[in-house]
Amino acid sequence: MLKVGVVGLGWMGRVHLRNYTEMAGVEVVGVVDVDPKAREEVTARFGVTAYATLDELLEHELNAISVCVPTSLHHETGLKIIEKKINLIIEKPLAATAAEGEELVRRAADMGVALMVGHVERFNPAVARVKELVGDDVISIQIERVGPYPPRIQDVGVVKDLGSHDIDLIRHITGSEFRSVNAVMSTTLGKHEDSALITAQMENGALASISTNWVTPYKSRKILVACESKYIEANLITQEVKEYSAFSTYDKSYSVREWPLMFREPVKEELTQFLAALRNNTPVPIPGEDGLAVLRVFERIFSAR
């Protein structure tokens, strides 16, 4: 029986909590939120013990904690948990700055604690299929991630919130690091940027672009990958993937293959693999170093403004 906790009962924290309560061999020892109403709601719905402070939760024996607080609190919260030698998964992005991320990664290593970053899109079946289909001949990768403005997010802009998914996915799919990266962005609705166009070239020569915003009235999550031998199109919401063969200049033809996928909830798969790594004493699927790499790309983007 693995004993777990959740810190932060916003939208994502409640998703983590729901999934933990549905898992065999998992006991939710407690959850934490500063909002009394949130504590009352989850206690009534899930029958868990809710605390007002992290210190109260840390008085108990725990194997793992999900950190789902605002990004600005990841560093402080993560360090407290690490000092207690408790394994943790921190929602993306890992921290507010690369310096904070570096300290989290370093302290986790020093204390022998497993630190995973919640770049949940890697557990989307459509992303997994794209990764399988992409070879070493990637020419370019384009990602669109747009939607309406989320009032619940106040501490970061669209680059660090939505863009963090796609910076990680570009590294993951191409298997390469960023050689160069640039961005243009604008602010329309809030105090942070809410529209951004990011362009990059990877060390292996692949070109990459991200279009992300909070000014579109509907959600769209798409990946387009051009390779020398094929073209891949993925819809991350519907979890559909199409593979187009290379265009023939001889007879002007190409074929299309639709890859059937079994729909899965990415967060459930993410937490299942996280806990499996703890049970088996194997590396977590997305270590802190991967989250730190994303933070370093952020710093390159914002320092160039």
Side-chain angles (χ1 to χ4, degrees):
M1 181 70 69
L2 287 179
K3 298 182 177 183
V4 305
V6 177
V7 184
L9 296 174
W11 180 78
M12 184 55 77
R14 295 185 193 212
V15 173
H16 279 235
L17 174 58
R18 173 179 57 77
N19 276 289
Y20 282 140
T21 61
E22 294 171 354
M23 292 179 179
V26 175
E27 175 189 350
V28 179
V29 172
V31 297
V32 178
D33 201 279
V34 296
D35 182 5
K37 184 179 179 182
R39 296 198 300 272
E40 290 172 8
E41 289 173 351
V42 300
T43 298
R45 180 179 175 187
F46 298 104
V48 297
T49 304
Y51 302 101
T53 68
L54 175 58
D55 290 337
E56 292 175 277
L57 176 63
L58 293 179
E59 291 175 1
H60 300 270
E61 181 183 341
L62 291 145
N63 300 110
I65 292 179
S66 284
V67 177
C68 305
V69 295
T71 303
S72 58
L73 299 176
H74 284 187
H75 177 251
E76 173 189 351
T77 305
L79 286 180
K80 270 192 172 185
I81 295 167
I82 290 168
E83 293 306 319
K84 290 287 187 176
K85 294 189 176 182
I86 298 170
N87 305 300
L88 68 166
I89 176 170
I90 299 181
E91 264 304 319
K92 62 81 200 166
L94 172 60
T97 67
E100 289 183 354
E102 286 169 3
E103 186 174 10
L104 285 167
V105 171
R106 183 174 63 251
R107 287 303 294 157
D110 290 345
M111 301 296 285
V113 167
L115 168 59
M116 178 164 160
V117 187
H119 284 291
V120 68
E121 285 284 34
R122 288 208 206 175
F123 301 94
N124 187 312
V127 169
R129 180 67 74 193
V130 170
K131 177 66 174 173
E132 290 173 4
L133 294 175
V134 167
D136 298 326
D137 59 348
V138 177
I139 299 169
S140 68
I141 176 169
Q142 299 171 260
I143 303 182
E144 177 185 82
R145 186 178 299 271
V146 299
Y149 183 74
R152 65 187 174 84
I153 299 173
Q154 298 291 328
D155 59 336
V156 296
V158 73
V159 171
K160 290 187 176 181
D161 184 64
L162 295 189
S164 61
H165 285 296
D166 302 318
I167 290 169
D168 178 70
L169 287 183
I170 288 169
R171 291 182 67 248
H172 177 61
I173 292 170
T174 64
S176 185
E177 299 296 337
F178 285 76
R179 176 186 298 168
S180 62
V181 61
N182 298 280
V184 290
M185 54 193 82
S186 65
T187 302
T188 306
L189 303 173
K191 61 182 179 179
H192 300 286
E193 84 285 345
D194 46 37
S195 294
L197 300 173
I198 302 169
T199 59
Q201 184 171 32
M202 309 307 288
E203 292 288 353
N204 64 3
L207 303 180
S209 67
I210 300 169
S211 174
T212 188
N213 71 54
W214 280 330
V215 297
T216 304
Y218 59 86
K219 280 188 175 183
S220 176
R221 311 283 191 261
K222 295 179 180 178
I223 298 178
L224 306 173
V225 185
C227 304
E228 292 179 23
S229 58
K230 66 187 73 174
Y231 184 79
I232 303 164
E233 178 183 287
N235 185 317
L236 304 190
I237 295 175
T238 61
Q239 297 186 5
E240 296 174 297
V241 177
K242 293 181 181 179
E243 178 187 6
Y244 298 78
S245 65
F247 181 74
S248 170
T249 55
Y250 173 71
D251 60 5
K252 296 182 170 48
S253 67
Y254 61 90
S255 62
V256 183
R257 178 175 183 179
E258 294 191 25
W259 285 90
L261 296 171
M262 180 176 293
F263 190 91
R264 292 201 309 263
E265 182 182 1
V267 175
K268 181 178 287 292
E269 185 66 19
E270 173 185 62
L271 296 178
T272 298
Q273 292 195 29
F274 170 56
L275 296 182
L278 300 185
R279 286 192 173 99
N280 300 325
N281 195 29
T282 55
V284 293
I286 307 177
E289 288 82 359
D290 280 12
L292 179 55
V294 172
L295 297 182
R296 287 173 173 157
V297 174
F298 286 159
E299 296 215 332
R300 292 169 67 179
I301 288 171
F302 287 99
S303 65
R305 293 186 70 185

